[in-house]
Amino acid sequence: MKPETFQSPIKVLRVAHASLTPALRQRERAMVRLFPDIKLEVVTTTRWHEAGVDVDALDDDLFPVVKARPLFSKHIQLFAYDPRPIISALRRHRPQLIDLNHEPYSIACAEVLTLCRWFAPRAVVTIQTCQNIFHQYPPPFSWFERRALKRAGTASICSDTVRDVLVAKGFKKPVAVVPFGVDVQAFTPRRITRQVDEPPTIGFVGRMLPGKGLTMLGKALALLRSEKWKALVVGDGPERAEFESILRAHSLLDRVRITGAISFDQIPELYHQMDLLVVPTETTDRIREQFGRVIIEAMASGLPVVGSSCGAIPEVIAGAGLVFAEGDVADLANAIKQMSSDGALRERCAIQGRARVEENYSWEVIARKTYEFFRQTLAGAHAFDKTHFERANRATVRRLDRESENAPA
């Protein structure tokens, strides 16, 4: 479908299940503050279980927030919205651009696209996708996916690892990397330095799920039991019991503090109690690190990061930490030991990390990237740098071909 010629203001409807509070809408808030020609409304769920806690949707002082009750399921890919608030928003706001933050194969994506066809047929659709593991879905999800990729004018992705999946699925339209961001005023380096003789605190922040590497971290700490260290583990989940069992078996439980699930506003202060962050994610059938928001939170907080080679982790860390081979406990233990024992390395990584965040991941930077992406999407494919996208897609195809050739029979 040929997009409409657009004039200011640019009307955008953002549909995102987890855009529940102002703290979870910081990209949108920064964009509206910087670019008054964006007239934005946000559709979100009335409540969602986010990062281990139930979060209720709140209004926003910068734009209208439409709350739609989730139906049928609590699973992110299987739920549907109560359609009535979305229909009302489409009729009232008459958006030129639908910014759809749902995976192409999801029920919510299929629902919103159907409502757009009925009530906003001329709106341009861009899909924000994070899926970086190739799956062949059964019907009807495969049908939903094909339809969504055909309907979308563009796609935004959080890291280059997501491009692999889109290219493999045959998506040939413009794809732009618009990463997640961080509040550089809320996440700042601590002002008080540690005492020289105080043992370093090793940090972990995240859901305790299979694939997030928590049990591997426990085994690495066991290898380091003769070293001086403490650990602060933030989060909760099914892997907690095994992690605690490993610590108990090596008499290390008293050296580790586990907070359990906490609210987002408590996170910045907890980073100040750490000396380095460990992100030990391992690839599974369901998990391959798509971005790693905790990495940029830690870097903004002046923390060096020790991360695995899983998914987008090396892409995000760059020179602000150490990368170890995913699944290699000994390599993880060596990286932790190197980072925790070398104060100069920690300081260098902390400085580089903060600078990297300010240059690439502040919400203002992300808002500017998003605004330019929206304008190009509305203008049509010709507005994008065709050479850039073709070059990126060719590189992805070559890499996928190499991986296929080297895969075990």
Side-chain angles (χ1 to χ4, degrees):
M1 179 183 296
K2 185 177 180 180
E4 290 183 278
T5 300
F6 64 93
Q7 305 289 333
S8 293
I10 302 171
K11 295 182 180 181
V12 178
L13 186 68
R14 163 81 167 170
V15 183
H17 75 285
S19 290
L20 296 149
T21 68
L24 296 170
R25 297 190 285 261
Q26 294 199 63
R27 183 194 75 158
E28 289 72 39
R29 288 175 60 81
M31 184 166 55
V32 168
R33 284 195 300 264
L34 289 170
F35 303 104
D37 59 326
I38 291 287
K39 300 303 178 185
L40 176 73
E41 290 196 16
V42 171
V43 173
T44 189
T45 51
T46 52
R47 166 181 277 205
W48 197 261
H49 194 71
E50 182 69 14
V53 296
D54 288 323
V55 181
D56 291 313
L58 301 175
D59 290 333
D60 205 292
D61 61 325
L62 296 181
F63 43 76
V65 175
V66 177
K67 307 171 186 98
R69 187 165 55 95
L71 305 175
F72 310 128
S73 174
K74 295 181 179 180
H75 191 286
I76 185 173
Q77 313 303 355
L78 301 179
F79 88 96
Y81 292 97
D82 178 347
R84 291 169 295 179
I86 300 178
I87 293 170
S88 177
L90 291 170
R91 284 174 163 168
R92 180 188 64 257
H93 190 50
R94 299 182 58 139
Q96 296 153 292
L97 179 69
I98 308 294
D99 179 25
L100 184 50
N101 179 214
H102 283 281
E103 293 298 334
Y105 60 89
S106 68
I107 289 176
C109 181
E111 176 195 18
V112 173
L113 290 179
T114 297
L115 296 177
C116 288
R117 186 181 67 191
W118 293 342
F119 300 101
R122 296 182 66 81
V124 180
V125 175
T126 184
I127 292 181
Q128 184 183 26
T129 174
C130 298
Q131 178 58 268
N132 65 349
I133 301 176
F134 184 91
H135 288 298
Q136 292 282 16
Y137 302 105
F141 302 102
S142 59
W143 304 336
F144 296 162
E145 183 178 59
R146 267 196 312 274
R147 175 197 182 208
L149 296 180
K150 181 178 180 181
R151 175 67 175 87
T154 60
S156 65
I157 57 178
C158 57
S159 67
D160 263 323
T161 64
V162 183
R163 192 190 306 273
D164 297 359
V165 173
L166 285 175
V167 170
K169 296 281 185 179
F171 191 77
K172 297 180 180 179
K173 301 169 189 177
V175 177
V177 177
V178 182
F180 298 118
V182 64
D183 185 341
V184 294
Q185 277 73 50
F187 292 88
T188 59
R190 67 184 177 219
R191 292 185 173 87
I192 300 173
T193 58
R194 291 281 187 264
Q195 298 297 321
V196 175
D197 59 347
E198 188 175 356
T201 298
I202 300 161
F204 173 93
V205 179
R207 295 171 296 168
M208 298 181 180
L209 299 174
K212 286 298 182 179
L214 190 64
T215 57
M216 193 173 68
L217 174 60
K219 294 174 183 178
L221 294 177
L223 292 179
L224 297 170
R225 56 187 175 275
S226 62
E227 304 290 328
K228 291 183 178 180
W229 55 264
K230 298 183 294 183
L232 174 57
V233 175
V234 179
D236 210 344
E239 292 292 288
R240 177 172 177 169
E242 185 176 352
F243 177 63
E244 290 178 335
S245 177
I246 293 170
L247 297 175
R248 190 177 296 109
H250 293 89
S251 302
L252 296 174
L253 202 53
D254 61 341
R255 296 168 68 176
V256 180
R257 175 189 165 202
I258 303 176
T259 67
I262 62 170
S263 60
F264 182 75
D265 59 3
Q266 295 175 272
I267 297 289
E269 175 55 34
L270 289 169
Y271 282 121
H272 288 173
Q273 300 174 33
M274 302 174 187
D275 293 288
L276 64 134
L277 182 78
V278 179
V279 186
T281 314
E282 301 174 80
T283 301
T284 70
D285 289 341
R286 299 174 62 85
I287 290 179
R288 184 182 179 221
E289 198 65 69
Q290 298 169 340
F291 182 79
R293 296 189 202 212
V294 296
I295 298 172
I296 58 173
E297 291 172 0
M299 293 194 301
S301 303
L303 283 183
V305 181
V306 172
S308 75
S309 57
C310 178
I313 292 175
E315 177 184 340
V316 179
I317 290 178
L322 298 176
V323 175
F324 67 94
E326 65 170 294
D328 190 329
V329 173
D331 200 23
L332 170 56
N334 287 335
I336 292 174
K337 182 177 180 179
Q338 181 182 355
M339 187 66 78
S340 60
S341 62
D342 190 337
L345 175 63
R346 290 202 305 274
E347 183 176 0
R348 184 169 67 251
C349 289
I351 292 171
Q352 291 177 350
R354 177 69 188 187
R356 177 165 170 74
V357 163
E358 290 176 349
E359 183 178 348
N360 297 282
Y361 299 118
S362 75
W363 283 121
E364 288 71 22
V365 169
I366 302 306
R368 292 181 189 280
K369 288 183 179 180
T370 303
Y371 176 78
E372 183 59 28
F373 174 68
F374 282 176
R375 289 190 65 88
Q376 291 174 323
T377 295
L378 282 167
H382 66 276
F384 289 87
D385 182 345
K386 186 176 180 181
T387 302
H388 167 77
F389 289 107
E390 288 179 345
R391 186 166 57 245
N393 287 352
R394 284 198 300 269
T396 297
V397 170
R398 286 196 298 269
R399 185 171 64 255
L400 294 174
D401 286 344
R402 287 196 302 270
E403 292 173 358
S404 176
E405 290 171 1
N406 295 331

